Amino acid sequence: MVAVLIVRLAWVQLLLKDRAVKGTEYSIAQMAEIQSERETVLDSGRGRLYDRSGEPLAGETVWTAALFPLEESERSASAVNAVDQQLHRLAEILGVNYDKLQAERTGLKEPLLWPSGKGTAPLALSPAQAREVDGLRINGVRALPFARRYSGSATGRQWLGYLSEATGEALEQSPTGLRIPRTGTDGLEKTLEPLLQGVGHTEVSAQVDARGNRVPGSPLKVKAPGNPYYPLSLYTTIDKRLQESIEQLAAGSGVKEGAIVVLDTRSGDIAAMVSLPFYNPEQISPEGGEWNNRALQAAVPGSIFKIVTAAAALEAGLTAPEEAFYCSGEYGKYGLTCLNGKGHGALTLAEGFAVSCNTVFATLAERLSGAQLESAALALGLGRDIGWQAENTLGLPLLRPLSGEQPGTIFTTLLPDDGGARVQTAIGQRDVRITPLQAANLVVTLLHGGEVRAPRILQRVAFANGQTLKELPGHLAPATQGKISKSTARLLLGMMRSVVTEGTGRMLKNSVWPVAGKSGTAQILVKGVPRNNQWFIGYGPVDDPKYAVSVAVEDVAPGSPQAATRLFGQVFDLLSESSGA
């Protein structure tokens, strides 16, 4: 048997090696050199995220230049000279010098998507550039569609999250079939992971021989799952153009830390949400913390919390807008003063609200109980989770896109007999913490007569063929304590207008849209050093409210100019322009 095997091998290697294999142009010897295919992934198969108009937020398809290993015959000087002019033009399109392009091209052993230099994303070509690349007819160079997850730039979209390589059990359970699958690690990428997982990836491959040369005449093969339903398309409530405009505004503002939230007043939906500092989802620093979404993180609110104090006192019948107070600048207890110790003199509750008089609100706090203050806060959507959620939806026990939202606090320990605790709480200090999202939603709640709506960021899930899988309608987020009355809500909205016309927000009097709001400055300690948080929240236009906005500027030096109020006005100028006002 061994002798027969030896004779058979000798026959094949010596007599049949040059005979053509049936159905191919290659001999047995040549076919023996064809070892494998080399491939590159064009689309991971992960679901796409879109804004409310269908503009891509994550998973945008772009054109890119794909270079494949050379055939052995193309490595000669004559072969290079034959396409020299086309290669020079290709280098211009790719934005590199000719020598670098040639060095990369001749050294290829597997397909290469030409890199952009920004993170891991390949260079995006315009449709015209893609057509020109194919029109050059360079063998082994193609313009192909690529599913780019992110743009490679830093943005304020921390709500989007980012991906990281899956390991261990997650790697084994990945349905995509990728060699190194990636899973959502934060933001929507994480909370929507079960919906974003695909059923396989799309790749393009080339056949190469044992030396890494592309087999002459072998076609480039594109392999795709071919499933008409996956990956899923997830549509958010975000307005991408507005988001981008506010990001540009925030980037040029000089603000280093904070957040801007824009809500649609009619639905309570999140139209834009910007967090500072910006982050790049392709370059996450383990210790940097830029990826934290400050719009969902609770911070000391300062005087914007006086809305709650006023609501609690009005609801309890303990005051009225026209009640008279007197401010000497010093409250006389608890070390409390008004700004710089300057007195406001005789003023009403409405006037005290406009100028943010601490004396007025300290007086109200001593009339209120801690339970009344906390109850009013909860009724207005503070001190608790308010983000949109649904149970037993899309096969998930709980769908909660904004799961990173912090509930904040009113009292860490409720001390109803501690007047100092109530006074400090009433002016938004001590234990009070709220998020910029909650602050914007507080304004929406007043505009809806006291009904708390759950801010929504995900509105629809569709199959890949466009067919709707599930509509996700908005809902309310009521408190067990009930809600404030419509009459109290109307009074507070009117007092917020007086803040702009005659109070701490006077710099906004000449806004394109007439706006209303409430300012706040909170005293905090950062590593033992006195710092401030600045806030401005409000709505506009006053006669027909379209948007509620909150701006939080965190960790600034005491005495700094009111950047939050200025930013609020600039955001509303953008909103008026986008609405054609």
Side-chain angles (χ1 to χ4, degrees):
M1 292 177 65
V2 172
V4 171
L5 178 60
I6 291 173
V7 171
R8 170 66 177 172
L9 290 174
W11 181 55
V12 169
Q13 292 187 25
L14 299 177
L15 300 178
L16 297 182
K17 67 175 183 175
D18 296 321
R19 183 177 296 180
V21 176
K22 186 177 182 181
T24 75
E25 58 183 275
Y26 306 113
S27 67
I28 290 178
Q30 290 172 325
M31 287 295 289
E33 292 185 349
I34 300 174
Q35 299 296 311
S36 63
E37 291 180 337
R38 296 288 184 267
E39 65 281 328
T40 187
V41 175
L42 298 175
D43 187 343
S44 69
R46 189 171 180 82
R48 310 291 182 91
L49 287 161
Y50 297 94
D51 84 340
R52 65 188 186 187
S53 300
E55 291 293 318
L57 295 169
E60 178 182 12
T61 298
V62 298
W63 289 98
T64 192
L67 279 62
F68 296 87
L70 297 177
E71 296 178 9
E72 188 171 9
S73 61
E74 293 176 311
R75 298 185 182 278
S76 66
S78 59
V80 172
N81 292 335
V83 293
D84 191 67
Q85 185 175 352
Q86 293 94 317
L87 288 171
H88 273 91
R89 178 55 189 151
L90 178 62
E92 291 177 7
I93 295 172
L94 300 182
V96 296
N97 63 53
Y98 173 81
D99 291 337
K100 181 176 180 180
L101 173 63
Q102 275 293 71
E104 289 282 357
R105 185 168 178 259
T106 55
L108 285 180
K109 298 298 182 183
E110 57 185 38
L112 169 71
L113 302 181
W114 192 263
S116 64
K118 295 181 179 180
T120 59
L123 179 68
L125 304 175
S126 69
Q129 288 175 322
R131 289 192 294 270
E132 187 174 1
V133 167
D134 281 341
L136 293 174
R137 298 187 180 279
I138 302 173
N139 194 19
V141 177
R142 291 276 303 278
L144 296 173
F146 175 79
R148 181 178 68 181
R149 196 67 191 171
Y150 311 114
S151 67
S153 301
T155 72
R157 304 173 205 178
Q158 281 84 345
W159 43 265
L160 194 59
Y162 59 95
L163 302 176
S164 59
E165 293 181 5
T167 57
E169 185 179 353
L171 184 63
E172 296 175 1
Q173 295 178 353
S174 172
T176 64
L178 283 176
R179 295 182 300 277
I180 307 177
R182 304 173 77 198
T183 59
T185 310
D186 205 352
L188 296 181
E189 294 280 22
K190 180 179 180 179
T191 59
L192 304 179
E193 175 69 26
L195 302 175
L196 291 170
Q197 288 180 348
V199 294
H201 62 274
T202 299
E203 66 181 24
V204 60
S205 63
Q207 209 168 26
V208 298
D209 62 23
R211 291 184 292 274
N213 298 315
R214 200 169 80 256
V215 175
S218 61
L220 303 178
K221 298 177 183 178
V222 176
K223 301 175 184 178
N227 189 315
Y229 299 106
Y230 289 88
L232 296 177
S233 298
L234 283 70
Y235 293 85
T236 69
T237 61
I238 296 293
D239 182 330
K240 184 179 180 181
R241 290 186 180 180
L242 179 60
Q243 176 80 24
E244 290 174 342
S245 296
I246 296 177
E247 286 175 355
Q248 291 174 5
L249 183 64
S253 69
V255 174
K256 295 181 179 179
E257 297 180 25
I260 302 170
V261 178
V262 180
L263 301 183
D264 183 311
T265 57
R266 292 169 178 81
S267 63
D269 289 346
I270 300 170
M273 186 159 56
V274 176
S275 178
L276 293 160
F278 286 0
Y279 88 123
N280 186 337
E282 294 184 344
Q283 297 175 357
I284 296 297
S285 165
E287 53 281 322
E290 324 69 52
W291 67 86
N292 294 329
N293 186 354
R294 293 177 185 268
L296 303 181
Q297 292 189 318
V300 184
S303 293
I304 64 170
F305 192 78
K306 290 173 180 174
I307 296 173
V308 176
T309 306
L314 289 166
E315 287 288 279
L318 299 175
T319 189
E322 63 276 8
E323 181 184 356
F325 297 83
Y326 184 82
C327 171
S328 65
E330 300 281 345
Y331 183 59
K333 290 191 284 186
Y334 316 121
L336 187 69
T337 66
C338 276
L339 183 63
N340 299 323
K342 295 179 180 179
H344 293 107
L347 72 175
T348 65
L349 169 63
E351 291 169 339
F353 186 94
V355 298
S356 203
C357 176
N358 285 342
T359 296
V360 169
F361 286 87
T363 303
L364 295 180
E366 295 213 77
R367 297 177 189 174
L368 290 162
S369 68
Q372 285 174 314
L373 260 179
E374 185 165 61
S375 179
L378 293 169
L380 289 167
L382 308 181
R384 60 189 178 93
D385 295 327
I386 54 167
W388 184 97
Q389 57 183 295
E391 295 180 352
N392 301 316
T393 298
L394 295 166
L396 303 175
L398 179 64
L399 177 59
R400 189 180 170 203
L402 295 178
S403 65
E405 175 196 4
Q406 294 180 355
T409 57
I410 309 304
F411 294 96
T412 52
T413 303
L414 189 59
L415 301 171
D417 297 323
D418 187 336
R422 294 199 308 277
V423 165
Q424 288 294 321
T425 299
I427 62 172
Q429 292 286 160
R430 202 173 184 271
D431 301 330
V432 184
R433 302 288 187 276
I434 69 174
T435 70
L437 177 64
Q438 289 173 331
N441 202 57
L442 164 61
V443 179
V444 174
T445 298
L446 296 177
L447 290 167
H448 282 264
E451 282 190 336
V452 183
R453 306 193 72 81
R456 184 177 62 149
I457 197 171
L458 182 65
Q459 61 176 326
R460 184 167 72 94
V461 179
F463 290 114
N465 61 8
Q467 179 183 352
T468 296
L469 172 60
K470 184 73 174 178
E471 293 281 357
L472 303 168
H475 62 74
L476 300 179
T480 56
Q481 291 79 2
K483 63 179 186 176
I484 67 167
S485 65
K486 291 183 179 180
S487 59
T488 295
R490 281 195 300 269
L491 286 172
L492 291 169
L493 292 171
M495 290 195 291
M496 289 170 71
R497 176 59 179 160
S498 69
V499 170
V500 173
T501 58
E502 56 197 70
T504 56
R506 286 191 300 274
M507 72 167 65
L508 303 172
K509 283 180 68 173
N510 298 320
S511 297
V512 177
W513 275 349
V515 296
K518 183 71 186 78
S519 62
T521 301
Q523 286 76 46
I524 60 172
L525 289 176
V526 178
K527 297 180 179 179
V529 178
R531 304 290 285 176
N532 283 353
N533 289 341
Q534 298 177 351
W535 294 76
F536 202 94
I537 67 174
Y539 65 96
V542 168
D543 296 333
D544 181 21
K546 292 181 172 62
Y547 296 100
V549 173
S550 73
V551 178
V553 177
E554 301 177 28
D555 192 11
V556 298
S560 299
Q562 247 292 347
T565 306
R566 174 174 46 82
L567 257 178
F568 178 91
Q570 292 171 334
V571 169
F572 262 101
D573 286 346
L574 275 175
L575 292 169
S576 65
E577 291 172 10
S578 65
S579 299

